[in-house]
Amino acid sequence: MSLRDTINGARKEAAEANASLAKKDAEKDEADDTERTGFSKRSVSRAKPAREAAAGVRVVSASSSAGKSSASSTAGKTPVEMTKEEKKRAREERRTEQDRRTSASQIILHDTPGYKKSQKVWWGLLGSGFVCTIVSWLIPNVYPKQVASSAALNILLLVLLILAYGLIIAAFVYDWRVVRPMRKKAEATTNRMTNKKVTQVLRGEANEIAREQAERDEAKAARRARRNQRHEQHK
């Protein structure tokens, strides 16, 4: 066998190998096209409803359900996962809820037995201390010569000053020992309440305020009517 025959045989074998590879690639591409076409048809058939919705049945779209799911997922997000607007909205909701509970706590505190009396005592001690402080400051400025020449006035000023400090300190101690436990109890009661109960407390207070206002308006109208009646009688 000559060299030329060997080269021609090698070329022939290479051509046959390339032809078989091209045939396999064509068959593979045809199979892929068939698979993609079948998948798209199945997807379209799934997208279309099998039958029309009956009358009165509400059809929920995928976009609306996705919106609801995103809204519900926002509620369970951590602060790190929230956006700036979500953080701002969450802070406003917490602030509103805290204000509502603080108002409910104040309502419960005012209804606590003994609270109003304790407030009168506290204001009495604090007011008396301030009065003594003002008097001890006015006497030397109004009567400077008498204070300079009288030992009794100096002793009186010292007594007033000591009494003023004592009354003011007693007012704060009274608030810490008597009023503070009432305040803490009212806050604990409010913290144990549900949002519905807090709303009921606030609504009850609003109704009470409206009732008191109506009573005041009726009393004012009655006084005006009596005054007009007396005016008519004098005529």
Side-chain angles (χ1 to χ4, degrees), residues 100-121:
R100 292 176 71 253
R101 290 190 175 272
T102 301
S103 301
S105 176
Q106 290 296 321
I107 294 170
I108 295 173
L109 180 62
H110 282 81
D111 293 338
T112 302
Y115 175 75
K116 293 181 179 179
K117 181 180 178 181
S118 66
Q119 288 298 288
K120 292 179 181 179
V121 174

Side-chain angles (χ1 to χ4, degrees), residues 84-147:
K84 187 175 181 180
E85 293 297 328
E86 290 173 348
K87 289 180 181 179
K88 183 178 179 181
R89 186 161 56 253
R91 284 195 300 268
E92 290 176 355
E93 291 175 357
R94 287 195 299 268
R95 192 180 301 112
T96 302
E97 181 63 24
Q98 185 62 36
D99 292 342
R100 292 176 71 253
R101 290 190 175 272
T102 301
S103 301
S105 176
Q106 290 296 321
I107 294 170
I108 295 173
L109 180 62
H110 282 81
D111 293 338
T112 302
Y115 175 75
K116 293 181 179 179
K117 181 180 178 181
S118 66
Q119 288 298 288
K120 292 179 181 179
V121 174
W122 185 79
W123 279 111
L125 291 172
L126 193 64
S128 301
F130 281 120
V131 168
C132 293
T133 303
I134 293 172
V135 171
S136 65
W137 178 80
L138 283 177
I139 290 177
N141 289 278
V142 176
Y143 306 103
K145 295 181 179 180
Q146 289 82 349
V147 171

Side-chain angles (χ1 to χ4, degrees), residues 1-17:
M1 182 181 292
S2 63
L3 181 60
R4 182 177 296 176
D5 294 336
T6 304
I7 294 172
N8 291 333
R11 287 179 179 177
K12 186 177 181 181
E13 291 177 359
E16 291 176 356

Side-chain angles (χ1 to χ4, degrees), residues 8-126:
N8 291 333
R11 287 179 179 177
K12 186 177 181 181
E13 291 177 359
E16 291 176 356
N18 292 332
S20 61
L21 290 174
K23 185 177 180 181
K24 289 181 180 180
D25 291 340
E27 291 176 354
K28 184 177 180 181
D29 293 339
E30 184 179 357
D32 292 340
D33 293 339
T34 304
E35 185 178 357
R36 284 196 295 269
T37 306
F39 178 77
S40 62
K41 289 180 179 179
R42 286 195 300 271
S43 301
V44 172
S45 63
R46 289 176 182 175
K48 293 182 180 179
R51 65 179 67 178
E52 294 183 357
V57 177
R58 180 173 175 265
V59 179
V60 180
S61 62
S63 59
S64 61
S65 61
K68 290 182 179 179
S69 62
S70 63
S72 61
S73 62
T74 302
K77 285 184 178 180
T78 61
V80 179
E81 297 174 346
M82 290 183 181
T83 62
K84 187 175 181 180
E85 293 297 328
E86 290 173 348
K87 289 180 181 179
K88 183 178 179 181
R89 186 161 56 253
R91 284 195 300 268
E92 290 176 355
E93 291 175 357
R94 287 195 299 268
R95 192 180 301 112
T96 302
E97 181 63 24
Q98 185 62 36
D99 292 342
R100 292 176 71 253
R101 290 190 175 272
T102 301
S103 301
S105 176
Q106 290 296 321
I107 294 170
I108 295 173
L109 180 62
H110 282 81
D111 293 338
T112 302
Y115 175 75
K116 293 181 179 179
K117 181 180 178 181
S118 66
Q119 288 298 288
K120 292 179 181 179
V121 174
W122 185 79
W123 279 111
L125 291 172
L126 193 64

